[in-house]
Amino acid sequence: MKLALIGFGQAGGKVVDEFLAFDARVDGGFVESAIAVNSATTDLKGLEHVPTENRVLIGQARVKGHGVGADNELGAAIAEEDSDEIQGAIDRIPTHEVDAFLIVAGMGGGTGSGGAPVLANHLQRIYTQPVYGLGLLPGTDEGGIYTLNAARSFRTFVDEVDNLLLFDNDAWRSAGESVGSGYDRINREIVERFGLLFAAGEVQQGDHVAESVVDSSEIINTLSSSGVSTIGYASETVETNDGLLASLTGGGETFDEGTATNRLTSLVRKATLGRLTLPCDVASADRGLVVATGPPSHLNRKGVERGRQWLEDETGSMEIRGGDYPLPDRDEVGAIVLLSGVTDVPRIDQLQQVAIEAQETTADVQASADEEFASLMDTGGELDALF
Ligand code: GDP
């Protein structure tokens, strides 16, 4: 499906940059346009793939290009004040060709955390296409302010978008990795999953011999349950003779239907029961979509159908869709599982609990700081100020 991508804040911009690289690499064609919005000049300069004219600096009058310093109320305020600047960039994209908007933001920071929900609200009022969010939850070790920001942003963002796709940094960090290289790896993991999903909906009829190619309307229908979504992905290297050899031999002679079916079914299970972008109880999903990716000779309808039926049993949902995304040049077969409308998410409960505690502690600290300052300045009325 064709997306207008908008990266809000530093993390949002970096992930959108990575989406562009991925789209070019797989020749996906799912990015119609990409925009980066930020209040920090250096973050915008650091991007590699977002075109310079699509980088929008907001809040100049207030923060002079230096960012909002994890103050997401300020992030929301400047997004509101400078919505014309953002709209100016969106006006330059052919929105009639876009199937949906996707706003990407780190929810623990300031600019994206506060600005993304404001932009979602703005887009919903103007356009008829769905507006989706891709929110990045902070790690548990990032501290109270990031948790509080994320919990408040989540609460706001989920109401403003048609569906909020979530990625939990905490579930994906590795011990011993530096923050920088960690994010580079994590961003590739994010983009591989969400990129494959959206690219799947962009295969044109006739591109490849496909049994049942996923259509963008199937993605939109799956996401129309609103609420929160998560993605699972699993892949396996296969020997492929889809390329030169296939054209010499007539192709696919060694193709074993039974093996392909079993492989796809087990990949769907692995994708669902393995690490999700947002870990949750799969049974709580409202809708689902299974996409099989890889060389066409290794994809078959029966495998997708079996995987789909298995997911129906796991979720108890009757709304599980399925299809293919043929990728002739890959030597990997994969399964993407999109679970939409999930409600049993321990990480969100934990985030909200820690955020409430952080909010109470902040209020207590502020109250006692005010008291202590008053006592510091108290001279019992013996000294007068100059004026
Ligand atoms: P902003 O520029 O004020 O919107 O703030 P950031 O985008 O830097 O948001 C900070 C949050 O985003 C942190 O809490 C991190 O959890 C997360 N974050 C920062 N950079 C990255 C990144 O490159 N990738 C991912 N996945 N998360 C990031």
Side-chain angles (χ1 to χ4, degrees), residues 146-216:
Y146 291 89
T147 304
L148 179 56
N149 281 351
R152 294 184 70 202
S153 177
F154 168 72
R155 200 190 150 90
T156 323
F157 205 15
V158 78
D159 282 344
E160 300 299 339
V161 291
D162 290 282
N163 198 298
L164 182 57
L165 305 151
L166 283 177
F167 184 94
D168 181 15
N169 280 340
D170 202 58
W172 287 80
R173 66 201 170 123
S174 293
E177 218 172 25
S178 77
V179 174
S181 70
Y183 281 146
D184 287 348
R185 179 187 57 79
I186 283 178
N187 292 350
R188 284 195 298 275
E189 305 264 20
I190 294 172
V191 160
E192 169 138 56
R193 282 157 182 77
F194 293 98
L196 276 177
L197 173 74
F198 292 120
E202 195 41 37
V203 174
Q204 303 298 317
Q205 287 300 329
D207 263 7
H208 309 286
V209 197
E211 298 216 356
S212 50
V213 173
V214 173
D215 191 69
S216 60

Side-chain angles (χ1 to χ4, degrees), residues 312-383:
E312 262 184 20
D313 292 343
E314 283 296 295
T315 56
S317 164
M318 286 295 111
E319 291 220 41
I320 307 291
R321 295 168 169 82
D324 296 341
Y325 175 32
L327 284 164
D329 300 331
R330 279 211 170 190
D331 61 354
E332 265 180 0
V333 173
I336 307 159
V337 173
L338 168 64
L339 299 167
S340 177
V342 294
T343 46
D344 191 346
V345 190
R347 175 75 179 106
I348 297 285
D349 293 339
Q350 182 215 26
L351 186 89
Q352 287 166 333
Q353 199 48 50
V354 175
I356 291 167
E357 282 162 21
Q359 194 164 255
E360 285 167 0
T361 311
T362 311
D364 288 350
V365 168
Q366 187 58 49
S368 71
D370 290 348
E371 231 172 71
E372 282 160 18
F373 183 70
S375 119
L376 172 76
M377 302 311 289
D378 182 18
T379 56
E382 298 293 316
L383 282 174

Side-chain angles (χ1 to χ4, degrees), residues 227-283:
V228 173
S229 292
T230 180
I231 285 189
Y233 175 63
S235 65
E236 198 178 299
T237 307
V238 288
E239 274 189 25
T240 154
N241 68 349
D242 279 24
L244 180 64
L245 194 60
S247 62
L248 292 175
T249 60
E253 278 144 330
T254 57
F255 173 64
D256 177 348
E257 180 96 25
T259 311
T261 305
N262 290 342
R263 183 188 289 117
L264 283 178
T265 318
S266 98
L267 282 173
V268 171
R269 286 173 193 237
K270 264 199 214 162
T272 313
L273 303 175
R275 191 161 34 162
L276 298 167
T277 58
L278 176 73
C280 69
D281 181 357
V282 172

